[in-house]
């Protein structure tokens, strides 16, 4: 029934066990979770959008070759859908079912050197989208690291609570043994023995519940870090946090480094860039084009059929020019889009302002909680020592027949409650320190104090 070996110190672990510190948790999360790796790849993929937008400055050169059979009055004008420019039309006015070959080889160049700011706006929007994807990844990673540290603190608490409960089991077992002796001597009623047995069973069940919670938290930590380990294969060396308080936090600085706030900033920048792209969508474009092609036909304009010439490229043409296009009738559409994107931009700006208010209150609340929890942690050892002394006195009085079972168990419960309070009070101070770091967007405020 004794499970003390479940929480052995790192110095006594076997070769199969691994010590996992808070720093290990923080470093493992980015690569340990497939979901985090997916966010990182999505951010990397978004970075190529800006390159694609810049790549529109490169001329487009398309070449193609086609060959086929068709009726003789249409072969010289035949062109498959796709790459080739249409060739001249039929050579004969009459219809004919004679099949002759025809070929064509063409190259088409299209270049848009001037977009009057549209390309620059597209590049700016794509760059803002890449920064937004990066901010999303940073915020997701920050939240996962925060979750991992919280789970680690829960594990430390459950470890310490397990030991406290083990000490309570030992006290209860000692009381049971004493009651058996006193009952045999006629100094105590047999009911005390039954009550001690019930109390012992309850204490053991509570400890088993703690172990269940401990294992579930270790499994959660394995999920966050990607470790394929079992609960009994890991140890957690940062146990000094259960007996040592952190130094006073740095109250300077604000929340500007918080990834959630930076994500909102990136969202505002992206909305502004998207609005600029829409505003420039009504501007003209200057395009240059050139094409060259050769063809062969199995029928001459005179109507003479020569199928061999259908496979030869003996007629060539080329040309070039420029085109200035302006979407005159798109004004209404662009105007509606501008109103839409301006509304989205105002919404993102308001969300950024709300995030700033929330984070400022979060910093203030975390700093207040730290001060209050520090005061509680200072009183918890005093309460624990007093409860221990009180219990020892009651235990001696019980042996002497001066107090009954109820009074003894009340003192034992008060001692257990005081020890649990002391265990949790230190970690609550550390939790407050972590909350300050989270609000300010700097987990190192917490991690650097872990020895």
């Amino acid at each position: 029934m004794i499970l003390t070996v479940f929480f052995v110190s790192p110095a006594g672990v076997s070769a199969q066990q691994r010590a996992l510190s808070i720093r290990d948790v923080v470093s493992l999360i980015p690569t340990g979770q497939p979901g985090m790796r997916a966010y990182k790849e999505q951010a990397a993929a978004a970075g190529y959008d800006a390159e694609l937008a810049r790549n529109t400055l490169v001329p487009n050169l398309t070449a193609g070759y086609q060959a086929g059979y068709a009726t003789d009055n249409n072969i010289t004008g035949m062109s498959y859908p796709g790459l080739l420019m249409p060739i001249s039309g039929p050579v004969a006015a009459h219809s004919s079912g004679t099949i002759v070959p025809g070929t064509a080889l063409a190259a088409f160049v299209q270049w848009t050197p001037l977009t009057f700011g549209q390309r620059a706006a597209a590049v700016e929007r794509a760059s803002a989208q890449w920064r937004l994807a990066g901010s999303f990844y940073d915020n997701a990673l920050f939240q996962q690291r925060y979750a991992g540290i919280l789970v680690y603190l829960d594990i430390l608490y459950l470890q310490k609570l397990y030991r406290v409960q083990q000490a309570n089991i030992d006290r209860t077992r000692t009381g049971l043994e004493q009651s058996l002796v006193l009952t045999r001597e006629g100094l105590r009623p047999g009911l005390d023995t039954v009550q001690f047995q019930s109390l012992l069973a309850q204490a053991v069940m509570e400890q088993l519940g703690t172990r269940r919670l401990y294992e579930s938290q270790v499994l959660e930590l394995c999920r966050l870090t990607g470790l394929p380990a079992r609960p009994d294969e890991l140890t957690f060396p940062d146990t000094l946090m259960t007996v040592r308080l952190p130094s006073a936090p740095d109250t300077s600085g604000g929340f500007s480094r918080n990834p959630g706030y930076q994500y909102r900033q990136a969202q505002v920048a992206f909305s502004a860039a998207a609005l600029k792209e829409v505003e420039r969508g009504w501007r003209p474009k200057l395009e240059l084009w050139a094409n060259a092609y050769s063809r062969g036909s199995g029928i001459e304009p005179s109507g003479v059929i020569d199928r061999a010439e259908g496979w030869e490229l003996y007629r060539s043409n080329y040309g070039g020019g420029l085109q200035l296009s302006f979407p005159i009738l798109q004004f209404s559409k662009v105007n509606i889009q501008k109103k839409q994107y301006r509304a989205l931009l105002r919404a993102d700006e308001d969300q950024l302002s709300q995030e700033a208010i929330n984070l400022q209150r979060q910093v203030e609340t975390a700093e207040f909680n730290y001060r209050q929890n520090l005061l509680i942690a200072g009183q918890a050892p005093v309460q624990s020592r007093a409860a221990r002394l009180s219990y020892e006195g009651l235990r001696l009085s019980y042996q002497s027949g001066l107090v009954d079972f109820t009074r003894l168990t009340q003192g034992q419960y008060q001692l257990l409650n005081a020890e649990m309070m002391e265990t949790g009070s230190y970690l609550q101070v550390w939790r407050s320190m972590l909350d300050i770091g989270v609000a300010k967007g700097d987990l190192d405020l917490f991690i650097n104090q872990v020895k």
Side-chain angles (χ1 to χ4, degrees), residues 22 25-26 29 33 36 139-155 217 220-225 431 434-435 438 443:
I22 286 181
V25 171
V26 171
I29 284 178
Q33 287 191 50
M36 294 308 306
N139 187 41
L141 177 59
F142 186 83
Q143 295 300 327
Q144 289 298 300
R145 282 174 165 167
Y146 170 56
I149 295 175
L150 277 183
V151 172
Y152 197 99
L153 292 179
D154 286 343
I155 290 172
Q217 290 298 83
E220 174 65 10
L221 193 62
C222 290
R223 183 190 71 83
L224 292 171
T225 57
R431 169 68 185 271
L434 176 62
D435 289 342
V438 169
L443 291 178

Side-chain angles (χ1 to χ4, degrees), residues 71-267:
T71 51
D72 62 5
N73 68 320
N74 191 51
I75 188 63
T76 55
M78 182 185 65
S79 177
Y80 296 150
L83 298 176
L84 301 185
M85 298 289 290
I87 307 172
S88 57
V91 296
H94 63 276
S95 297
S96 173
T98 305
I99 303 297
V100 295
T103 57
L105 175 66
F108 183 72
V109 179
Q110 184 179 17
W111 183 35
T112 310
L114 295 178
T115 61
F116 300 93
Q118 294 181 57
R119 180 181 294 108
V123 171
E124 185 176 345
R125 180 199 56 78
S127 299
Q129 186 173 13
W130 172 64
R131 290 191 293 270
L132 179 63
S135 295
F136 181 84
Y137 167 75
D138 291 340
N139 187 41
L141 177 59
F142 186 83
Q143 295 300 327
Q144 289 298 300
R145 282 174 165 167
Y146 170 56
I149 295 175
L150 277 183
V151 172
Y152 197 99
L153 292 179
D154 286 343
I155 290 172
L156 293 182
Y157 171 72
L158 292 170
Q159 277 187 330
K160 189 66 177 294
L161 179 61
Y162 186 90
R163 295 191 182 98
V164 168
Q165 290 173 332
Q166 183 60 51
N168 183 59
I169 289 174
D170 294 340
R171 289 192 292 263
T172 306
R173 184 176 289 113
T174 300
L176 174 59
E177 294 171 354
Q178 291 175 349
S179 70
L180 289 172
V181 174
L182 295 175
T183 299
R184 284 196 299 268
E185 296 176 353
L187 299 177
R188 286 293 176 186
L191 181 60
D192 282 11
T193 300
V194 176
Q195 290 177 314
F196 267 117
Q197 290 174 338
S198 175
L199 190 63
L200 178 60
Q202 179 182 353
V204 171
M205 287 190 296
E206 289 175 353
Q207 190 186 49
L208 290 174
T210 298
R211 178 177 179 176
R212 177 179 57 81
L213 292 175
Y214 168 85
E215 291 187 350
S216 67
Q217 290 298 83
V218 174
L219 291 174
E220 174 65 10
L221 193 62
C222 290
R223 183 190 71 83
L224 292 171
T225 57
L227 292 175
R230 298 192 305 270
D232 58 349
E233 294 176 342
L234 295 174
T235 60
F236 305 93
D238 294 327
T239 56
L240 287 179
M241 286 191 292
T242 62
V243 295
R244 184 181 65 84
L245 295 174
S247 304
D250 183 9
T251 57
S252 62
F255 50 80
S256 59
R257 295 180 57 185
N258 185 282
Y261 182 75
Q262 292 178 342
Y263 174 74
R264 292 297 182 187
Q265 287 180 316
Q267 182 67 56

Side-chain angles (χ1 to χ4, degrees), residues 55-68:
N55 196 66
T56 58
L57 183 61
V58 178
N60 181 31
L61 172 61
T62 304
Y65 174 81
Q66 72 179 45

Side-chain angles (χ1 to χ4, degrees), residues 401-422:
L402 299 178
V403 297
D404 58 7
F405 171 84
T406 302
R407 186 68 185 91
L408 175 63
T409 54
Q410 285 178 348
Q412 184 175 340
Y413 173 77
Q414 290 173 353
L415 175 57
L416 174 62
N417 187 61
E419 289 175 336
M420 293 172 58
M421 180 68 71
E422 182 179 3

